[in-house]
Amino acid sequence: MMKKLVLTGAAGRLGSYLREPLSKMCQELVSTDIVDDIGKLYEGESYAKADVAVYDQIAPLLEGADMVVHFGAIVDEKPFEELLGPNFVGSYNVWEAAYQHGLQRVVYASSIHAVGMHKKSDFIGIDAPHKPDTFYGLAKCFSEDLASMYWDKRGLEAVCLRILSCAQVNNTRALGSWLSYDDLIQLVTRAIDTPSVGFSVVYGVSNNDRAPVDNAKASFLGYRPKDNAEQFAEKILAEAPPVDLKDPGQMHHGGPFAAVDLGESGVASMNIVNDKKTT
Amino acid sequence: MMKKLVLTGAAGRLGSYLREPLSKMCQELVSTDIVDDIGKLYEGESYAKADVAVYDQIAPLLEGADMVVHFGAIVDEKPFEELLGPNFVGSYNVWEAAYQHGLQRVVYASSIHAVGMHKKSDFIGIDAPHKPDTFYGLAKCFSEDLASMYWDKRGLEAVCLRILSCAQVNNTRALGSWLSYDDLIQLVTRAIDTPSVGFSVVYGVSNNDRAPVDNAKASFLGYRPKDNAEQFAEKILAEAPPVDLKDPGQMHHGGPFAAVDLGESGVASMNIVNDKKTT
Amino acid sequence: MMKKLVLTGAAGRLGSYLREPLSKMCQELVSTDIVDDIGKLYEGESYAKADVAVYDQIAPLLEGADMVVHFGAIVDEKPFEELLGPNFVGSYNVWEAAYQHGLQRVVYASSIHAVGMHKKSDFIGIDAPHKPDTFYGLAKCFSEDLASMYWDKRGLEAVCLRILSCAQVNNTRALGSWLSYDDLIQLVTRAIDTPSVGFSVVYGVSNNDRAPVDNAKASFLGYRPKDNAEQFAEKILAEAPPVDLKDPGQMHHGGPFAAVDLGESGVASMNIVNDKKTT
Amino acid sequence: MMKKLVLTGAAGRLGSYLREPLSKMCQELVSTDIVDDIGKLYEGESYAKADVAVYDQIAPLLEGADMVVHFGAIVDEKPFEELLGPNFVGSYNVWEAAYQHGLQRVVYASSIHAVGMHKKSDFIGIDAPHKPDTFYGLAKCFSEDLASMYWDKRGLEAVCLRILSCAQVNNTRALGSWLSYDDLIQLVTRAIDTPSVGFSVVYGVSNNDRAPVDNAKASFLGYRPKDNAEQFAEKILAEAPPVDLKDPGQMHHGGPFAAVDLGESGVASMNIVNDKKTT
Amino acid sequence: MMKKLVLTGAAGRLGSYLREPLSKMCQELVSTDIVDDIGKLYEGESYAKADVAVYDQIAPLLEGADMVVHFGAIVDEKPFEELLGPNFVGSYNVWEAAYQHGLQRVVYASSIHAVGMHKKSDFIGIDAPHKPDTFYGLAKCFSEDLASMYWDKRGLEAVCLRILSCAQVNNTRALGSWLSYDDLIQLVTRAIDTPSVGFSVVYGVSNNDRAPVDNAKASFLGYRPKDNAEQFAEKILAEAPPVDLKDPGQMHHGGPFAAVDLGESGVASMNIVNDKKTT
Amino acid sequence: MMKKLVLTGAAGRLGSYLREPLSKMCQELVSTDIVDDIGKLYEGESYAKADVAVYDQIAPLLEGADMVVHFGAIVDEKPFEELLGPNFVGSYNVWEAAYQHGLQRVVYASSIHAVGMHKKSDFIGIDAPHKPDTFYGLAKCFSEDLASMYWDKRGLEAVCLRILSCAQVNNTRALGSWLSYDDLIQLVTRAIDTPSVGFSVVYGVSNNDRAPVDNAKASFLGYRPKDNAEQFAEKILAEAPPVDLKDPGQMHHGGPFAAVDLGESGVASMNIVNDKKTT
């Protein structure tokens, strides 16, 4: 059992799901986010308010930790200026602090939007070249390259989880891209318990019949998702609007992010409407 | 639910299996073939006699349709002259008519024989170069290239189903190449209900332990076959004749078609002897 | 020295350039085309009027030949119906006749238009998948697949020369795609004198600085072009009209053929305007 | 049913597991090894003492056989001189004898150590280049190349089983590399009953969640393992010592063999401590 | 001839070489840098002091321009904080301004250090995955991904010139990595005069016998370097210090940058010591 | 300048060409072979009779050397038993001795016959999988794998020179496969003077128009051959016998070695008949 884990973005939708399982994998879980309070804590968990964009706030929390699970960032498309602090500098801060404090590994919430402009009919593997669809995706590219460099130059490991869409299944794209909460937890668990990972990338997607990405080259991580969005297919397909074959959002992995203009208020929120889980 | 589907080759062995499931996916199913009559019709189905080799016969049937499922062709190796009309010109007629009438998609019965001269020990993917084994296979190559062009130039979608062998399992090759009727129906259903497909190719093969082809790159279609010819393996292997390692039919994906001379009466019929289904 | 060669399309622009060099490689050159007369003959050359679309006209000419150089076809985009005879059936006739008469090899004028819908910025090799841009290109795909099959099944060799543009350099595309007449002759010579070729494909392009295709995998043929269109670059670039980045003809290997609608009178003639050579 | 099979290395740990299932696949099983006696024989089985390093001892046993299952060799890292006879010359003897006596196929116990210096995070397929980690692994490379040559030149088939680790799961590497005894038996069975195999390579690994190698290209063999080492993961991971990221044994497919010096007494025995099966 | 070009980094070592040739390719060249003055101007050239890190300084200069040649950045490894403004935000500013003012293209001075941690013995192409060796290289990765996105989403073209080492040849690495000033000029010229480029990457290296990178896939750009560092080989090799095979700088494309710690004052200056050209 | 080099096989045809140039690259050249005497010595050269198959004879010669150039072996196809000593054990002896005496590198005369069963129309790179055509070729495979292992495990560098055919050009195959003596010398020089090479493979072939193999991935070595067998093409082609397309020697890289039976007295001598150079 690990001594200490740090979770950034602990107040976010995905982060809030991870707090309990992470608390069971270590003696001490330090959850952090920019809110004042995240409510009732799990056994072994403490909460510290900190802004990942500010090195002096985030770095001290990593002291003595084994690994950091880095989910803290703005989770929608925004103008570059707004993402620069939390999504770009924030990643630098986390990796640099992890190195300075001798952590073994960063587990990072990357995203399909790092490769979102690939065509959906291309079954991209984890080695598909970067092809971001938004500034949001560009920040994921930046962080993955940063992760690669810290491994090559300084021996700090990283697993970059390219999450497709972790929210209620309510459109045809999600029949392929869905990551269930249980599979998210398995994914993060494998990213932590695999003894050595170097620099690794893995798609965060459930065992959907229509999953459009290829995790074969990350097989050694042992991530074997169990859920399958096909259970929702009949209803979703019956209610789906007519397809517009000229809509870039239909034809690319990034979905709606492939269609919005750069920096425009994106569609992450659309995807999670009706999601009963509130954190 | 779709408004109108057209099925060519409706009186053929595979076509006859598809009539009922297709009739349930649309308000109106127009079945067509060159026979006078295909017997009792399913709800919503009508039958129209037409020769795919004659544009003016086939084209009018596509008016108002959403998609056409094109299975109508001669299904055995024959001299080039005999295949030219139904298998080559017929494909052109279907695609051109589909374009002229504004259909979204053609679902096409292609075949392993488009790539039948690849070695069986090569686990070919959907992007294996064409390597036809017969004039029959050459017509499939022609139609796939035609399909690619209509998508690139005119935005008409296509799914090319490279069927391996859809018939009773009665030889060792079929332990790998079998496509069960249920899996055929799933395959055609996915080819229709996937919202956008561009130009896609997928192998029609069941979930056989010994399946020799790779559908990974067509994963987004969500075709997940359920049947497995391994149930027949013990009996088939026990009764199999000695292997002739110099027989091209043993060593290539095309099986017996890889061994017959071009234009010679082929072996499609051999494969289906004892098949109890009669249409 | 070969005993007998046959050249189809001998009255065409490219064919007329090949007559003299071919006449020197064999004791007997039989030139054929659909015109009544091709003028003065070279030593060892005879002319026979024949339509490649008619087996009984073309087949007898191949009797006793070692190889056939097949350039006879309509060389522009036309409706499918117009190309079916000369460009599709014509190829079948030539290969079948070559096989029936025991020739060693067919040297075939294929075209970049067999792969014309690939993006120009993709440095496509000789194994790029077919991606035709026109019915004209589709006929080249058909013939290449036919060639592959006659080699695999019947041991009849073929070299398919995917010519890019063999005409005066008068637009920016031609700075990359130009094939000079001298290099054309070298290309055909290599396709004939290489002792064994199996089924081979090679791009017909000069040694242009901006050549956009990759002949590496055909290196054993020893085709090493000498001419370079860069000599025309300064003038052509200075006079070039503004680029329209949304024009498919700008962005794809097929050039203007990638932009015309299928079957529309094409642009082959545009490319050769001002070409002083008349045959 | 086969007439005669020969099993070398019949007294070894893996060989002893194979005797019973092999005895059921043929009328006559000849087991051989260098010990005097292997105990009670199965129905149809006979035992012959012979040294694979001596042609005249091993060759006569193959007379009249259909196939030979070649597991006889030193199964640990040793100085080159010690392996030269049994592991190098022994393979030559088996293939040459198999050819001289007209056998159809050699089924060979190769090993992950033929490719052991590839990084564990590379999901290597069966076509990964040789990258041996020990003289033991070098002998496997030698034998695979020999097998390839006897197929290409003499038509003698071979299946090379690259076994990962077939022993009790008692370390984290084995969570990925485990081959259960049942799956070993299925693997050898498929290697025998597949009608034609040419020269094939397949990894011997169970259906572990964390399996680090890719058998996709050997799919036609129909090897579908059933066991999964994940059942042991919780206990193994809880007891695992801290990871040393600079230990070559942690980061490469060969595991401890990637870390020992060449010729040093290896670690095969470490892997099987506590293994209750004794032969 | 172009109407207006903008050159950033005009006072830098490479920028200063480009001013004259660029001034001849357009009616108006706007050179910009952070120094007060760049000395005598070429015909058609004007100078404007501006900081690329400040959008409001750099953006107005691009108004009315056809293309911008972006060489302005810190050209050595520095702490991330120091590079953030000029090398990261500066690139964003240039692309965003180019888009806002409707330019056709950005020509960008990228660097081998975007892929510097690849092994030197890997002949990496232009599609090698990012593998930065420094924060300096990370900024190049960021800018290339930004460039890819602006093309995919907004149709703004880019050519990223991955310069290896453009300085005097004074060490063994430079025998492979040298880019002569003349070849630099040709490279930038091609990046400008090629009619359409989409998003392209090309290595900036001369025609050295020992060039370690592969520009094949950028062939359509027509960059054909003329100089060859082999002229310096005899002297350089004779004087070279003994090789340390454990030095990461010896074994990776990034050379000394692959060996320095992140953020440490780098070695760009070392490479150019003795360089007589002063600007 | 190197202190000491060792050359094995110094009395062989190729070895004898290398003695003079090697003697100029070092202060001391130790030439060795199994003959008593190699005639007049070059400045700095000494001769020592030793059998590479005997460790105690060859090992002492390497003491104090920087590199060993290993050309000593039987250079024709022979029964496995005859090659085992000189070609297999000899390589082990050289590498082991090189490691024991702390040499930096082995330069090894490998051969096209390590990959001779690839089809000639496949433009194989240096990473083509082993596919030996003879026991002679198998020994080259063995030595290359040994070389790879000594680098990975012990940091001993190697360059494996896969020589195609270094002899007079007197058949059509040699138009592609010829390695001139001058180019051989350049090749060995580059293999020595490149500062770091790790484990490298490079084809030994001249700059022939018809060269059938691809050295792109060894570009960093800077081997740029100057000679071109095309100068002999006209004469050779005019005199060439008719091609037999069913002859494996015509269709594979190994040429005649692809056609001889294993262990049969081969054809190396045929290739060099009429070769005026005698040593």
Side-chain angles (χ1 to χ4, degrees), chain F residues 52 59 65 67 70 98 120 134 180 184 194 201 212 216 237 240-241 261 267:
Chain F
V52 292
M67 298 185 186
H70 178 39
K120 202 175 59 179
T134 46
S180 75
L184 168 68
T194 301
V201 172
L237 289 170
D261 191 22
V267 290

Side-chain angles (χ1 to χ4, degrees), chain A:
Chain A
M1 184 183 265
M2 235 154 262
K3 251 181 79 175
K4 177 176 166 182
L5 285 176
V6 177
L7 170 66
T8 72
R13 196 162 50 84
L14 301 193
S16 66
Y17 276 101
L18 294 173
R19 290 170 47 207
E20 185 171 12
L22 289 179
S23 73
K24 291 182 176 156
M25 297 182 75
C26 57
Q27 293 167 19
E28 181 190 354
L29 171 67
V30 175
S31 293
T32 177
D33 209 314
I34 49 171
V35 300
D36 287 329
D37 171 32
I38 55 168
K40 195 166 168 300
L41 299 173
Y42 296 98
E43 194 179 327
E45 187 187 27
S46 63
Y47 179 73
K49 180 178 175 180
D51 185 346
V52 292
V54 182
Y55 186 81
D56 290 345
Q57 287 185 23
I58 200 72
L61 303 181
L62 273 62
E63 193 177 347
D66 298 287
M67 298 185 184
V68 53
V69 178
H70 178 37
F71 274 62
I74 293 179
V75 294
D76 197 358
E77 173 63 349
K78 298 282 176 192
F80 178 66
E81 294 84 345
E82 294 184 37
L83 298 178
L84 184 59
N87 293 33
F88 289 86
V89 175
S91 282
Y92 165 74
N93 287 341
V94 166
W95 260 270
E96 181 65 18
Y99 171 68
Q100 294 299 344
H101 289 297
L103 275 67
Q104 183 190 340
R105 186 180 302 169
V106 179
V107 174
Y108 174 60
S110 185
S111 161
I112 187 70
H113 299 297
V115 291
M117 293 310 291
H118 284 280
K119 281 193 282 184
K120 202 174 61 181
S121 57
D122 286 346
F123 187 56
I124 53 174
I126 60 174
D127 50 1
H130 283 159
K131 212 168 169 50
D133 51 23
T134 45
F135 291 123
Y136 175 78
L138 183 64
K140 301 306 186 187
C141 295
F142 166 84
S143 304
E144 290 187 1
D145 287 340
L146 181 83
S148 155
M149 185 174 69
Y150 270 80
W151 167 244
D152 284 339
K153 295 295 292 278
R154 292 178 154 177
L156 174 59
E157 293 192 322
V159 185
C160 298
L161 316 172
R162 284 195 193 148
I163 294 168
L164 275 73
S165 66
C166 193
Q168 232 195 23
V169 178
N170 55 17
N171 55 61
T172 58
R173 175 175 177 260
L175 294 177
S177 66
W178 186 51
L179 174 66
S180 75
Y181 292 117
D182 283 351
D183 285 334
L184 168 68
I185 290 168
Q186 189 205 142
L187 179 64
V188 173
T189 304
R190 276 306 86 76
I192 290 172
D193 74 18
T194 301
S196 62
V197 299
F199 164 69
S200 296
V201 172
V202 60
Y203 288 106
V205 65
S206 280
N207 186 29
N208 308 318
D209 280 4
R210 303 172 197 243
V213 293
D214 183 6
N215 264 333
K217 291 189 183 168
S219 291
F220 80 103
L221 290 173
Y223 169 59
R224 296 291 173 265
K226 306 294 182 209
D227 291 311
N228 188 336
E230 201 63 19
Q231 58 184 301
F232 309 115
E234 193 172 337
K235 184 167 177 299
I236 294 281
L237 290 170
E239 297 171 357
V243 173
D244 174 4
L245 293 177
K246 293 196 172 136
D247 171 13
Q250 272 293 333
M251 310 305 279
H252 295 89
H253 280 286
F257 272 50
V260 294
D261 190 21
L262 298 181
E264 275 193 8
S265 175
V267 290
S269 50
M270 277 180 46
N271 281 334
I272 59 168
V273 74
N274 295 330
D275 196 332
K276 280 149 236 152
K277 171 75 189 179
T278 60
T279 59

Side-chain angles (χ1 to χ4, degrees), chain B residues 60-82:
Chain B
L61 302 181
L62 273 63
E63 192 177 346
D66 298 287
M67 299 185 184
V68 53
V69 179
H70 179 38
F71 273 62
I74 294 179
V75 294
D76 197 358
E77 173 64 349
K78 297 283 175 192
F80 177 68
E81 294 84 346
E82 294 184 37

Side-chain angles (χ1 to χ4, degrees), chain F residues 25-278:
Chain F
M25 296 182 74
C26 56
Q27 294 167 19
E28 180 189 357
L29 172 66
V30 176
S31 292
T32 177
D33 208 314
I34 51 173
V35 301
D36 287 329
D37 171 30
I38 56 169
K40 192 164 169 304
L41 298 174
Y42 296 97
E43 191 179 328
E45 187 188 26
S46 64
Y47 178 74
K49 179 179 176 180
D51 185 346
V52 292
V54 182
Y55 185 83
D56 290 344
Q57 289 186 22
I58 199 72
L61 303 180
L62 273 63
E63 193 176 348
D66 298 289
M67 298 185 186
V68 53
V69 179
H70 178 39
F71 274 61
I74 294 178
V75 295
D76 197 359
E77 174 63 348
K78 296 283 176 192
F80 177 68
E81 293 85 347
E82 293 184 39
L83 299 178
L84 184 59
N87 294 33
F88 289 87
V89 175
S91 283
Y92 165 75
N93 288 341
V94 167
W95 261 269
E96 181 66 17
Y99 170 70
Q100 294 298 342
H101 288 297
L103 276 67
Q104 182 191 340
R105 189 180 300 170
V106 180
V107 174
Y108 174 61
S110 186
S111 163
I112 188 70
H113 299 296
V115 291
M117 293 310 290
H118 284 280
K119 281 193 282 185
K120 202 175 59 179
S121 57
D122 288 344
F123 186 56
I124 53 174
I126 60 175
D127 51 359
H130 283 157
K131 211 166 167 56
D133 52 22
T134 46
F135 291 124
Y136 175 77
L138 183 64
K140 301 305 188 188
C141 295
F142 166 84
S143 303
E144 290 187 0
D145 287 339
L146 183 83
S148 154
M149 186 173 69
Y150 269 79
W151 167 244
D152 284 337
K153 295 296 293 275
R154 290 177 155 179
L156 174 59
E157 292 194 322
V159 185
C160 297
L161 316 172
R162 284 194 192 149
I163 294 167
L164 275 72
S165 67
C166 194
Q168 230 196 24
V169 178
N170 57 16
N171 55 60
T172 59
R173 175 175 177 261
L175 294 177
S177 67
W178 186 50
L179 174 67
S180 75
Y181 291 117
D182 284 350
D183 285 333
L184 168 68
I185 289 168
Q186 189 205 142
L187 179 63
V188 173
T189 304
R190 276 305 88 75
I192 290 172
D193 74 17
T194 301
S196 63
V197 300
F199 164 70
S200 296
V201 172
V202 59
Y203 288 105
V205 67
S206 280
N207 185 30
N208 308 320
D209 280 4
R210 302 172 197 245
V213 292
D214 183 7
N215 263 336
K217 291 189 182 168
S219 292
F220 81 103
L221 290 172
Y223 169 60
R224 297 290 174 265
K226 306 293 182 210
D227 291 312
N228 188 336
E230 201 63 17
Q231 59 185 299
F232 310 114
E234 192 172 339
K235 182 167 179 299
I236 295 281
L237 289 170
E239 296 171 358
V243 174
D244 174 4
L245 294 177
K246 294 199 172 133
D247 171 13
Q250 272 291 334
M251 309 305 278
H252 296 91
H253 280 285
F257 273 48
V260 295
D261 191 22
L262 299 181
E264 274 194 7
S265 177
V267 290
S269 52
M270 278 182 43
N271 282 332
I272 60 170
V273 73
N274 296 328
D275 195 335
K276 280 149 237 152
K277 170 77 188 176
T278 58

Side-chain angles (χ1 to χ4, degrees), chain A residues 157 190 193 195 216 219 222 224, chain D residues 123 209-211 243 245 250:
Chain A
E157 293 192 322
R190 276 306 86 76
D193 74 18
S219 291
R224 296 291 173 265
Chain D
F123 186 57
D209 280 4
R210 302 171 197 245
V243 173
L245 294 177
Q250 271 292 333

Side-chain angles (χ1 to χ4, degrees), chain E residues 220-263:
Chain E
F220 80 103
L221 290 173
Y223 169 59
R224 296 289 174 264
K226 306 292 183 212
D227 291 312
N228 188 335
E230 202 62 18
Q231 58 185 301
F232 309 114
E234 194 172 338
K235 183 167 179 298
I236 294 280
L237 289 170
E239 297 170 359
V243 174
D244 175 3
L245 294 177
K246 293 197 173 135
D247 172 13
Q250 272 292 334
M251 309 306 277
H252 296 90
H253 280 285
F257 272 48
V260 295
D261 191 21
L262 299 180

